């Protein structure tokens, strides 16, 4: 899927702004910004925690000049099930809250007139959607009749609404439908293998590759081909050189369509205990993150995104995981430009009830319906993000119940299909299961492990960290012989809470906990990365162990540093991006 851009032959109309909004069944609309989660916009607590369908309405004029073109409607994401109507005609529906969907609406529009777009969004979760959940009906003497509760088992708030831009865009009748790029290195030269898919009449093609100054470095007249770049400037974390692949289609020597795609020339390879980018051992320094901020929830915010990347550079990070769902196109474009490596994760989180007797992988919960949807999500995610040089690995799930026997066949199919869809990138799953019990890690290329010694286990006992962490990570490596990333570790920290000696929830405790984890990792040459949980504080559902959300951020939700941020900054500035222990 190509991201909508403006070129000589294409136009884009961004419908971001104020839309009409109402809950299903209500008579009147209120005003609601798009993109944004609707939960925190009003003063109505019943809307914040609302479960069910809502409606968005927008009226917009379509210029007469668009009549001779194809017109598409694209929704960047809407959580979690959507139906789209244009001028009272249903044009598409989509299942899943974190990836884009689009459809051609040319025949339904009133050109030179006003058009109505109506989008329904339902945030109800079930076991056949990612992330899963279940709507429970409580009938007892302590609750009103048919009392509904949405249960979900992931630790972030189920923000709802249209979270990314709604775009109208045009293409010519014959247009470039997709471009796929894979890169390689030969000595000092770069190789760019490309494939252009066309919709409509086959014409002539010119493919130009230009450097960052616009200079032509390679060209071709084929729809599929290989471009060779002499003395190529490679893309890599900390040094993110980008080239522009310019594709032009001609019919009878007339320009019909044009699309430009930024690409990076780089290679990814696993070599024993090393993760190689451009044949150099890379060490992941960074975070698990969330798309989350005050008021707007999960809504796209360019201000927050630029601030986050500036903070990543300030603290010395070179990577992050899109925990626990694919982030916006706009975030990945920034990662390409800033030179930040990304582990992109599917929204397969909450697939664990933390009880071996209460199985998740069974009929009626995570079963063949979930599998079908999960496979579709992997296809959509890879189709959207296959060309981003910043995406260096796919994660198929986070903290699933991989100790269950039935999980093995499920994830074996997911991992095999992911590798088939994209054989150029490694695949991982993020584990909370013990190395002794997992049925899945043998199928992945990199082991990712989440551990919270001295927090959820042996709470308050910092002295236990080094012994437990070193022992377990060695056991993981001895069993699987694969490189390991410590993909989560951290402590809830309330800004302004202080204690010496360090006590839980204080800034000193977070500092000391991170220090002990990190110094242990330094002794283990098979550990190729450290991702702190979390980059910034984020909202969760209300429960007694969460004080206005999860407070494990090194930064506050308002993006201000806690004490530990300064320690991490000093540490990471001393560790190069390419580092072999």
């Amino acid at each position: 899927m190509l991201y909508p851009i403006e070129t000589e032959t294409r136009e884009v109309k961004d419908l971001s702004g104020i839309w009409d909004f109402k809950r299903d069944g209500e008579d009147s609309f209120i005003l609601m910004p798009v993109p944004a989660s609707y939960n925190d916009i009003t003063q109505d607590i019943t809307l914040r925690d609302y479960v069910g369908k809502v409606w968005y309405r927008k009226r917009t004029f379509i210029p007469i000049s668009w009549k001779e073109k194809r017109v598409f409607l694209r929704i960047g994401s809407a959580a979690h099930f959507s139906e789209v109507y244009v001028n009272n005609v249903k044009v598409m529906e989509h299942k899943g809250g974190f990836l884009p969907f689009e459809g051609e609406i040319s025949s339904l529009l009133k050109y030179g007139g006003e058009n109505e777009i109506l989008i329904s969004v339902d945030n109800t979760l079930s076991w056949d959607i990612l992330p899963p959940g279940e709507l429970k009906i409580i009938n007892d003497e302590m609750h009103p009749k048919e009392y509904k509760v949405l249960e979900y088992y992931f630790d972030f708030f189920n923000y709802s609404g249209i979270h990314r831009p709604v775009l109208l865009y045009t293409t010519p009748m014959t247009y470039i439908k997709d471009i796929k790029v894979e890169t390689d290195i030969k000595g000092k030269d770069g190789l760019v293998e490309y494939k252009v898919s066309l919709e409509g009449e086959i014409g002539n093609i010119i493919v130009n590759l230009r450097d960052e100054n616009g200079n032509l470095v390679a060209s071709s007249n084929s729809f599929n081909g290989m471009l060779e770049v002499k003395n190529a400037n490679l893309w890599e974390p900390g040094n993110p050189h980008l080239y522009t692949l310019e594709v032009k289609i001609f019919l009878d020597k007339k320009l019909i369509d044009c699309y430009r795609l930024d690409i990076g020339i780089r290679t990814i390879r696993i070599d024993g205990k090393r993760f190689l980018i451009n044949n150099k051992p890379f060490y992941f320094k960074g975070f698990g993150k969330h798309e989350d901020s005050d008021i707007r929830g999960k809504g796209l915010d360019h201000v927050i995104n630029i601030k986050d990347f500036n903070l990543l550079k300030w603290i010395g990070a070179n990577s992050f995981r899109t925990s626990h769902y694919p982030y916006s196109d706009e975030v990945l474009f920034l990662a390409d430009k800033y030179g930040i490596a990304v582990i992109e994760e599917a929204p397969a989180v909450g697939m664990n009830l933390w009880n071996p007797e209460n199985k998740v992988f069974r009929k009626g919960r995570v079963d063949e319906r979930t599998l079908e949807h999960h496979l579709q999500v992997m296809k959509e995610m890879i189709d959207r993000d296959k060309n981003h040089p910043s995406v260096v690995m796919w994660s198929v799930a986070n903290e699933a119940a991989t100790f269950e026997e039935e999980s093995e066949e499920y994830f074996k199919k997911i991992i095999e299909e992911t590798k088939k869809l994209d054989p150029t990138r490694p695949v991982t799953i993020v584990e909370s299961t013990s190395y002794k019990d997992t049925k899945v890690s043998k199928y992945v290329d990199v082991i990712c492990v989440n551990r919270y010694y001295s927090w959820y286990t042996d709470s308050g006992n910092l002295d236990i960290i080094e012994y437990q962490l070193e022992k377990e990570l060695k056991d993981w490596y001895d069993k699987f012989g694969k490189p390991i990333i410590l993909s989560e570790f951290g402590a809830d920290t309330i800004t302004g809470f202080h204690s010496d000696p360090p006590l839980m929830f204080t800034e000193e405790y977070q500092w000391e906990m991170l220090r002990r984890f990190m110094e242990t990792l330094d002794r283990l040459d098979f550990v190729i990365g450290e991702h702190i949980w979390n980059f910034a504080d984020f909202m969760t559902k209300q429960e007694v162990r969460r004080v206005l959300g999860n407070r494990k951020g090194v930064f506050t939700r308002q993006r201000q540093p806690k004490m530990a941020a300064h320690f991490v900054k000093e540490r990471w500035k001393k560790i190069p991006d390419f580092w072999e222990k």
Side-chain angles (χ1 to χ4, degrees):
M1 176 183 283
L2 295 177
Y3 187 79
I5 63 170
E6 293 190 326
T7 70
E8 300 93 315
T9 60
R10 296 171 175 234
E11 296 178 70
V12 179
K13 184 174 185 178
D14 190 343
L15 299 182
S16 298
I18 308 301
W19 287 51
D20 299 323
F21 172 91
K22 69 174 183 177
R23 281 177 275 202
D24 193 40
E26 293 180 337
D27 295 327
S28 58
F29 286 89
I30 63 172
L31 301 181
M32 188 63 65
V34 172
S37 303
Y38 61 71
N39 309 79
D40 294 337
I41 301 295
T42 75
Q43 305 311 110
D44 184 353
I45 188 65
T46 65
L47 181 59
R48 184 185 189 277
D49 297 321
Y50 174 74
V51 178
K53 183 184 290 187
V54 298
W55 293 89
Y56 288 84
R57 184 179 68 187
K58 186 74 169 180
R59 294 189 174 105
T60 185
F61 275 84
I62 301 296
I64 295 175
S65 60
W66 283 16
K67 193 170 186 178
E68 303 305 317
K69 303 175 181 180
R70 295 180 188 258
V71 182
F72 293 84
L73 175 63
R74 182 189 197 266
I75 292 89
S77 73
H80 294 278
F81 182 79
S82 305
E83 296 179 321
V84 181
Y85 300 80
V86 174
N87 295 329
N88 296 317
V89 177
K90 184 177 177 179
V91 294
M92 55 182 159
E93 63 181 42
H94 185 258
K95 182 178 178 181
F98 300 99
L99 287 164
F101 53 103
E102 66 180 20
E104 185 175 356
I105 59 171
S106 310
S107 63
L108 303 175
L109 295 174
K110 302 171 185 175
Y111 296 94
E114 187 179 67
N115 295 261
E116 181 182 85
I117 297 170
L118 198 62
I119 303 174
S120 72
V121 183
D122 194 331
N123 67 349
T124 307
L125 298 171
S126 59
W127 283 107
D128 61 351
I129 197 169
L130 298 182
E134 53 188 329
L135 188 64
K136 291 186 174 180
I137 310 298
I138 301 176
N139 285 307
D140 62 24
E141 61 183 16
M142 298 305 294
H143 292 84
K145 189 177 180 180
E146 300 292 307
Y147 189 77
K148 295 180 180 179
V149 177
L150 182 64
E151 290 279 5
Y152 52 91
Y153 309 101
F154 49 88
D155 190 31
F156 55 92
F157 188 65
N158 185 36
Y159 275 117
S160 311
I162 300 176
H163 288 150
R164 297 171 191 162
V166 179
L167 304 175
L168 289 167
Y169 73 93
T170 71
T171 70
M173 301 306 290
T174 292
Y175 71 101
I176 300 160
K177 188 174 183 180
D178 196 20
I179 302 170
K180 182 180 180 181
V181 171
E182 293 180 2
T183 64
D184 204 349
I185 302 170
K186 185 176 71 175
K188 294 183 178 180
D189 300 336
L191 302 177
V192 178
E193 184 178 2
Y194 69 89
K195 180 179 181 180
V196 178
S197 301
L198 200 65
E199 184 76 17
E201 188 177 351
I202 300 297
N204 298 318
I205 189 171
I206 295 178
V207 178
N208 294 323
L209 189 66
R210 300 184 184 276
D211 65 17
E212 290 165 304
N213 296 316
N215 299 313
L216 183 66
V217 297
S219 63
S220 171
N221 297 110
S222 302
F223 282 87
N224 308 314
M226 179 79 74
L227 301 173
E228 187 167 344
V229 183
K230 297 295 184 182
N231 297 310
N233 291 316
L234 305 182
W235 186 98
E236 60 190 33
N239 197 22
H241 290 286
L242 292 172
Y243 290 84
T244 299
L245 189 73
E246 179 184 76
V247 180
K248 292 184 175 182
I249 304 297
F250 294 85
L251 288 174
D252 298 326
K253 298 183 179 181
K254 179 183 177 183
L255 178 65
I256 298 300
D257 196 18
C258 176
Y259 193 90
R260 295 179 179 89
L261 176 72
D262 286 343
I263 67 166
I265 299 173
R266 59 106 181 96
T267 59
I268 304 292
R269 183 165 60 90
I270 304 298
D271 177 40
K273 63 183 72 171
R274 304 186 302 167
F275 189 103
L276 303 181
I277 298 180
N278 300 335
N279 297 316
K280 298 183 292 185
F282 179 69
Y283 189 79
F284 290 81
K285 303 177 293 180
F287 301 91
K289 287 182 91 273
H290 268 296
E291 288 187 318
D292 174 277
S293 58
D294 284 332
I295 303 175
R296 62 193 54 76
K298 290 195 177 305
L300 174 70
D301 187 303
H302 297 297
V303 174
I304 290 291
N305 288 342
I306 293 292
K307 180 66 173 179
D308 282 2
F309 275 93
N310 284 332
L311 288 173
L312 288 170
K313 301 301 284 188
W314 173 83
I315 206 170
N318 61 19
S319 56
F320 64 84
R321 174 167 57 114
T322 69
S323 42
H324 299 296
Y325 39 82
Y327 290 1
S328 69
D329 301 80
E330 292 79 3
V331 165
L332 294 181
F333 287 130
L334 290 175
D336 294 341
K337 288 178 167 62
Y338 278 92
I340 299 292
V342 175
I343 301 171
E344 187 167 7
E345 189 161 88
V349 59
M351 304 170 82
N352 196 336
L353 297 179
W354 310 99
N355 181 357
E357 304 304 317
N358 193 4
K359 289 192 173 184
V360 170
F361 290 86
R362 65 170 178 81
K363 191 74 174 177
R365 284 185 176 164
V366 177
D367 57 18
E368 65 277 358
R369 298 172 307 147
T370 322
L371 176 64
E372 181 183 4
H373 176 59
H374 199 155
L375 290 169
Q376 179 63 25
V377 167
M378 299 308 300
K379 182 180 183 301
E380 290 181 18
M381 183 170 76
I382 293 170
D383 184 50
R384 187 192 72 163
D385 297 330
K386 59 184 178 291
N387 295 324
H388 284 285
S390 59
V391 177
V392 299
M393 185 157 57
W394 306 112
S395 169
V396 299
N398 177 77
E399 295 188 343
T402 58
F403 53 83
E404 294 182 18
E405 293 290 342
E406 296 80 1
S407 71
E408 179 173 354
E409 187 61 25
Y410 179 97
F411 280 112
K412 184 172 182 284
K413 291 178 180 178
I414 296 292
I415 293 164
E416 286 177 348
E417 183 63 20
T418 301
K419 291 185 174 185
K420 187 184 300 182
L421 289 167
D422 180 13
T424 71
R425 290 177 176 90
V427 177
T428 189
I429 187 170
V430 178
E431 291 272 26
S432 59
T433 301
S434 164
Y435 72 94
K436 293 181 288 187
D437 299 325
T438 177
K439 307 296 188 292
V440 176
S441 278
K442 59 187 174 184
Y443 297 110
V444 300
D445 303 300
V446 175
I447 304 291
C448 285
V449 182
N450 298 345
R451 286 298 179 263
Y452 289 93
Y453 302 124
S454 83
W455 193 255
Y456 295 121
T457 59
D458 294 294
S459 303
N461 187 356
L462 291 164
D463 292 335
I464 206 71
I465 291 173
E466 295 180 46
Y467 174 82
Q468 292 182 339
L469 182 62
E470 184 167 352
K471 179 183 184 307
E472 189 184 4
L473 292 185
K474 284 182 176 179
D475 288 337
W476 275 97
Y477 187 72
D478 288 344
K479 181 173 182 179
F480 294 105
K482 297 175 181 179
I484 294 174
I485 297 173
L486 188 61
S487 42
E488 289 186 24
F489 60 106
D492 282 271
T493 306
I494 310 298
T495 307
F497 278 26
H498 294 283
S499 175
D500 189 11
L503 298 178
M504 293 177 72
F505 295 98
T506 66
E507 295 193 54
E508 286 81 3
Y509 193 92
Q510 184 185 42
W511 178 306
E512 184 64 14
M513 181 188 188
L514 296 182
R515 183 186 70 81
R516 294 190 186 213
F517 267 89
M518 290 169 163
E519 289 183 358
T520 305
L521 298 180
D522 290 345
R523 301 195 293 268
L524 306 174
D525 64 356
F526 52 81
V527 172
I528 60 165
E530 53 195 59
H531 275 185
I532 299 167
W533 189 259
N534 190 281
F535 172 77
D537 296 345
F538 58 92
M539 187 53 65
T540 64
K541 62 183 175 183
Q542 298 183 74
E543 54 178 310
V544 293
R545 67 186 184 128
R546 294 285 177 248
V547 183
L548 283 178
N550 189 306
R551 298 300 190 98
K552 291 187 182 70
V554 167
F555 299 97
T556 67
R557 202 181 190 207
Q558 295 73 39
R559 274 48 179 185
Q560 298 304 313
K562 301 176 186 177
M563 278 180 58
H566 300 282
F567 158 69
V568 174
K569 179 175 184 286
E570 289 303 310
R571 170 181 169 78
W572 284 350
K573 291 296 184 183
K574 297 174 184 176
I575 298 176
D577 296 333
F578 294 93
W579 181 42
E580 189 166 13
K581 297 178 184 177

